[in-house]
Amino acid sequence: MKQRIDATDSIHTVSRRRAIALLGSAAVAPLLSRETFGAAKNTAFTLLHDDEQFLDDLEKRACMFFWEQASPRTGQVLDRARNDLAPGARDPRKMASIAATGFGLTALCIANHRGYLPHEKIVERVHATLDWHLNQFHHEHGFYYHFTDIETGAPFPGSEVSSIDTALLLCGVLTARAYFKDATIHKLATQIYERVDWPWMLNGGPTFSMGWFPQKGFLDARWEHYCELMMIYLLAIGSPTHPVAASAWTAWKRPTIEYAGFKYISGNDPIFTHQYSQAWYDFRGKHDQYTNYFDNSVKATHAHKAFCLSMPKWYSEDYWGISASDYQGGYTAWGGPPLQGPVDGTVVPNAAAGSLAFVPKDCLHVLRAMKEKWGKQAWGRYGFVDAFHPAANWYDPDVLGIDQGISVIMAENLRSSLIWDVFMRNPEAVNAMKNAGFVADRISS
């Protein structure tokens, strides 16, 4: 998902270096009803008019990426595209990403909600996307290849059948199903989700394999420690057709990090791992036997900012944020704490944009400051470039679909909670969280 591949290097070598008891009594930690799951609200934060204008511009530009850099026939979205294309032009590269397509389906819901594109055109695109993925796109037990040709669906060399990227696609599929009051969308989306054979991807173990190759079989690497994996387990536990046991929720490790006075659950992974599952699943106001994961991501964001500011040679209140991204040397999974990768002063705007709903004041400040100071070079048709390094006079020419996706979704979740509210209308999401042991936080009197 957050990495590039070639024929000789598995994506996982690039990026992977790295029956539940409920808490308390019902009076202290009541089970959440479906209504309670959708009723949590953002921590009090008032967006100023200028904030709203900035976020609206950011969202509209990101939505245009998902509209223009997708195939109208297949609905697949390019993995990346240049940020200086003419209106309506599509990047000539052919590699689509199923993760970007999942983000794209979600972005189309936002585009419809905000009126960025005509409703009829959006519905037509969603129909085409779901129909093609159900009836024409090759799958293995319901799972899809990571990188494919945008028009034919043929896998790119070295691409695996990916569990996490299929999960990202499914989050977009289920968002579209819940958002659009359309019988065809509902039917197609349901069939795509219910076709996935989750126990197959366990490959006989307690945790999910990261993927499968036709010649080599399952990858040895597994989703076994806290990162972006929560969506896989909840989608699987909630499946009405091929579920895994709720005990799978406790099968993965939850290591802790202490940094700058913050203690929180985290693997040795970039900041995006605290953002992705929470783009859709609403963890506000609830916890399992381990933590409140929304609050955990708030701490992780504060710690990440402190980590960046511990390097004042490069970073400041107006310039911080590092997540897996492009850099002058190619593509890398980097960030911290602790230090990961060749951090060199490059900034990655989606690091802050993906945490807008967690720490709105600080993330809004740095994003607006970066646009004001470097917008001429770092801001284009689709918003921020993927990464830039002003001191080195380097500005990435590209944007990446997954990075645009987490930015637009979390911007909208900050503004309206739209995607949280819509996604949690899916009964499978509600049931999965209940079965995993989530209960409401105790409210202090």
Side-chain angles (χ1 to χ4, degrees):
M1 166 192 51
K2 296 285 297 186
Q3 56 277 319
R4 305 281 74 78
I5 62 170
D6 58 36
T8 61
D9 190 11
S10 166
I11 62 167
H12 308 292
T13 64
V14 177
S15 69
R16 299 300 162 208
R17 300 185 292 266
R18 49 170 178 91
I20 298 175
L22 302 181
L23 290 180
S25 67
V28 174
L31 283 171
L32 291 168
S33 67
R34 185 172 178 184
E35 291 73 22
T36 306
F37 265 90
K41 300 301 179 186
N42 283 325
T43 302
F45 182 80
T46 301
L47 289 168
L48 302 176
H49 177 68
D50 288 349
D51 295 330
E52 286 277 8
Q53 285 190 315
F54 168 77
L55 291 173
D56 198 66
D57 191 20
L58 181 150
E59 289 185 55
K60 185 174 184 179
R61 290 171 183 269
C63 286
M64 291 309 300
F65 167 84
F66 290 108
W67 183 256
E68 295 178 344
Q69 302 309 315
S71 165
R73 186 179 68 85
T74 71
Q76 291 196 106
V77 177
L78 284 178
D79 177 60
R80 59 170 64 225
R82 288 190 64 93
N83 201 21
D84 59 357
L85 296 171
R90 198 170 90 192
D91 193 289
R93 287 171 281 193
K94 297 293 185 181
M95 190 168 76
S97 153
I98 57 165
T101 304
F103 278 115
L105 283 167
T106 310
L108 290 178
C109 298
I110 295 171
N112 188 82
H113 176 71
R114 293 289 172 184
Y116 298 147
L117 294 162
H119 171 76
E120 295 77 12
K121 293 291 186 182
I122 292 174
V123 171
E124 180 182 7
R125 177 70 60 86
V126 174
H127 278 175
T129 303
L130 296 178
D131 181 75
W132 190 83
H133 280 76
L134 177 66
N135 296 312
Q136 299 184 57
F137 194 22
H138 178 76
H139 68 92
E140 294 288 343
H141 294 260
F143 292 89
Y144 295 106
Y145 280 92
H146 187 169
F147 295 116
T148 58
D149 184 281
I150 190 170
E151 295 297 348
T152 69
F156 267 71
S159 183
E160 83 292 6
V161 172
S162 172
S163 51
I164 189 66
D165 296 282
T166 296
L168 285 160
L169 175 69
L170 292 172
C171 285
V173 167
L174 292 177
T175 302
R177 183 183 77 170
Y179 178 83
F180 294 101
K181 294 178 173 59
D182 183 283
T184 300
I185 288 174
H186 191 279
K187 180 180 179 181
L188 293 169
T190 299
Q191 289 179 284
I192 290 171
Y193 175 46
E194 293 187 352
R195 182 173 64 183
V196 180
D197 182 0
W198 298 100
W200 177 75
M201 191 58 77
L202 287 173
N203 188 31
T207 56
F208 286 107
S209 171
M210 288 189 176
W212 177 88
F213 286 99
Q215 290 78 31
K216 305 179 201 174
F218 287 98
L219 293 167
D220 292 333
R222 287 182 175 267
W223 295 105
E224 58 186 6
H225 73 262
Y226 173 88
C227 56
E228 68 271 36
L229 56 68
M230 292 193 291
M231 70 182 88
I232 305 178
Y233 287 89
L234 291 172
L235 286 165
I237 291 168
S239 170
T241 50
H242 305 287
V244 301
S247 58
W249 187 252
T250 64
W252 42 277
K253 301 178 180 68
R254 294 161 171 83
T256 58
I257 283 178
E258 292 189 54
Y259 186 85
F262 299 100
K263 184 177 181 179
Y264 56 100
I265 294 172
S266 181
N268 185 13
D269 299 299
I271 190 67
F272 79 85
T273 59
H274 294 278
Q275 300 166 349
Y276 272 26
S277 290
Q278 298 203 51
W280 293 277
Y281 284 93
D282 186 358
F283 292 99
R284 295 171 298 168
K286 57 188 75 79
H287 62 274
D288 65 0
Q289 63 178 295
Y290 303 101
T291 195
N292 175 310
Y293 293 97
F294 181 90
D295 293 346
N296 193 73
S297 290
V298 171
K299 294 175 185 177
T301 302
H302 282 302
H304 179 70
K305 178 185 175 183
F307 166 77
C308 292
L309 297 188
S310 73
M311 298 176 277
K313 173 183 176 182
W314 294 324
Y315 300 106
S316 69
E317 289 284 344
D318 293 348
Y319 182 84
W320 62 267
I322 318 159
S323 191
S325 72
D326 288 347
Y327 77 122
Q328 292 179 85
Y331 188 90
T332 190
W334 57 355
L339 177 67
Q340 304 137 25
V343 175
D344 63 358
T346 300
V347 75
V348 185
N350 75 82
S355 284
L356 275 164
F358 302 133
V359 185
K361 181 179 178 181
D362 292 0
C363 293
L364 266 170
H365 173 85
V366 71
L367 290 168
R368 292 186 59 183
M370 290 193 297
K371 181 177 184 288
E372 181 178 346
K373 292 185 178 184
W374 297 288
K376 184 176 180 180
Q377 301 97 334
W379 182 269
R381 176 156 183 77
Y382 303 127
F384 282 114
V385 297
D386 191 56
F388 61 100
H389 191 336
N393 195 30
W394 178 79
Y395 299 87
D396 193 352
D398 286 353
V399 294
L400 273 64
I402 51 178
D403 295 342
Q404 295 297 96
I406 192 61
S407 299
V408 66
I409 294 174
M410 286 311 220
E412 187 57 46
N413 276 336
L414 172 61
R415 296 176 76 188
S416 71
S417 300
L418 175 71
I419 302 307
W420 285 326
D421 293 345
V422 166
F423 188 80
M424 296 308 296
R425 293 176 196 160
N426 289 297
E428 299 93 340
V430 175
N431 293 335
M433 293 187 75
K434 288 180 180 178
N435 291 337
F438 281 87
V439 294
D441 291 344
R442 183 175 182 176
I443 300 174
S444 301
S445 57

